[in-house]
Amino acid sequence: MCELLGMSANVPTDICFSFSGFLNRGGGTGPHRDGWGIAFYEEGGYREFRDPHPSVNSPIARLICEYPIKSNVVISHIRQANVGGVRLANTHPFTREMWGRPWCYAHNGQLSDWRQLPLGTYTPVGNTDSEHAFCWLMGELRRCFPTPPASPDSLWERLHGLCEELRGLGVFNLLLSDGVYLYSYCSTKLAHITRRAPFGEAELSDAELTVNFIEHTTPNDIVSVIATEPLTQNEAWQRMVPGELLVWREGEIKASYGHSK
C-alpha cells in the first residue's frame, strides 16, 4: 500500500519536519519504493514535485527538506505500485483544473472494477486505478456543480457520497484539495494531529530528528498534519474511522461526515 501525508495551516508553514520522516518510508523504513510526489499551495499558486524513484534516495526529496517552502496546504504521497507501471505518469499527486483552480489528489489503496467508472470531462494520463478514480470523481463533481456552489456544504456532502461509492470498490483513502480546503477521507487508515499553543517537542518515528515547535511558531499558529500512520512517537495522534470525511481549512476541522462524534 502507498502512504499519504497532508498539512493544513492557518499561516504559511513549511513541512520539512514531517516530510523528513515521511520520505524515509519510501524505501528506507518502509517498502514504498515506486515513486513519490508533493504539492504545495502558496500565495494563490501551485507548485508540484514528482519523482518515480524512491524518496529515501531522491535528491529532489532532500531538496524539499532543506528548502522550507511555506504553504497553507500540502499533499504528499509515496507509492508502492499495485496497478500501473513505475513511471512518472503514474506518480501521485495528480492534478486537474476545476472552476479555475488546480485540484490536487492522492490515493492510498486498490480498487476493483475501476475501469467501469464512466469518464467524461477528465481523462487519465497514466494507467492507474487511482488516477482513473480521480478523473471520475472530478467529472462527477463538475457535472453536479458546473459552477462553485453557493454553499460548500452541498459539495462536501456530494464528495462524501462519491468517496463512499469508491470505497465500495476496495480500499480508498484520499487526500484532496483546491488550495482553500483540504479533504481527508478514510477507508481503512488515516490519522491526524493538530498543533497549537502551547507548543512542545515532537520526535520523529522514522528519523533521528526532534523539533521544539515553540522555537518556530507564534502563539496564534495552528498546524494540522494528516498521515497514513503517525509520524511522531511522543504525540497523541487521532485515528479516523472508515467512511469518515474531514474538511480542513487553516488547520481546523470545518466539517465531518460519516462519523457520529
Side-chain angles (χ1 to χ4, degrees):
M1 288 285 187
C2 307
E3 290 204 20
L4 303 172
L5 169 65
M7 184 192 77
S8 172
N10 69 337
V11 292
T13 304
D14 74 70
I15 200 170
C16 296
F17 175 72
S18 295
F19 188 69
S20 295
F22 188 63
L23 72 85
N24 280 325
R25 297 180 178 179
T29 57
H32 316 87
R33 301 185 56 83
D34 301 324
W36 67 277
I38 189 167
F40 302 88
Y41 288 91
E42 42 184 319
E43 298 180 349
Y46 176 85
R47 189 188 328 220
E48 178 185 286
F49 301 85
R50 294 191 296 158
D51 186 353
H53 304 293
S55 57
V56 70
N57 298 322
S58 171
I60 305 173
R62 294 297 172 187
L63 168 68
I64 302 301
C65 292
E66 297 169 3
Y67 177 37
I69 298 172
K70 303 284 188 178
S71 178
N72 289 84
V73 177
V74 177
I75 290 179
S76 185
H77 179 276
I78 50 176
R79 185 175 184 229
Q80 185 177 12
N82 291 307
V83 178
V86 179
R87 59 191 183 104
L88 188 60
N90 291 335
T91 305
H92 305 224
F94 302 109
T95 314
R96 295 295 187 277
E97 177 276 335
M98 185 166 69
W99 309 326
R101 305 178 199 160
W103 287 67
C104 174
Y105 156 102
H107 163 233
N108 161 24
Q110 190 170 358
L111 305 175
S112 61
D113 299 325
W114 53 274
R115 290 183 179 87
Q116 298 181 24
L117 295 169
L119 301 180
T121 304
Y122 301 99
T123 305
V125 176
N127 60 344
T128 63
D129 53 347
S130 299
E131 189 183 15
H132 189 106
F134 177 42
C135 290
W136 174 80
L137 180 70
M138 292 294 292
E140 290 297 299
L141 288 176
R142 192 157 203 160
R143 184 176 61 82
C144 293
F145 306 100
T147 58
S151 171
D153 301 70
S154 57
L155 172 68
W156 300 344
E157 290 175 5
R158 182 61 181 140
L159 175 60
H160 180 248
L162 294 170
C163 289
E164 289 283 85
E165 287 187 49
L166 289 168
R167 182 163 73 112
L169 301 181
V171 178
F172 186 74
N173 300 295
L174 161 144
L175 290 178
L176 175 74
S177 181
D178 65 347
V180 178
Y181 296 99
L182 173 66
Y183 305 96
S184 59
Y185 176 79
C186 177
S187 171
T188 55
K189 191 184 297 185
L190 272 179
H192 58 87
I193 188 168
T194 298
R195 300 182 179 117
R196 65 177 83 227
F199 292 96
E201 285 193 350
E203 183 178 347
L204 288 175
S205 302
D206 298 89
E208 293 184 4
L209 184 61
T210 301
V211 66
N212 188 347
F213 286 112
I214 199 170
E215 299 174 358
H216 306 278
T217 56
T218 74
N220 298 320
D221 291 2
I222 303 171
V223 181
S224 292
V225 177
I226 304 98
T228 300
E229 289 285 358
L231 292 164
T232 57
Q233 57 188 7
N234 66 325
E235 294 180 295
W237 290 67
Q238 182 175 344
R239 292 193 180 273
M240 296 179 62
V241 300
E244 183 179 15
L245 173 73
L246 296 179
V247 181
W248 304 84
R249 184 171 184 179
E250 296 184 344
E252 302 272 25
I253 296 173
K254 296 301 181 183
S256 173
Y257 296 86
H259 183 208
S260 299
K261 298 189 177 180

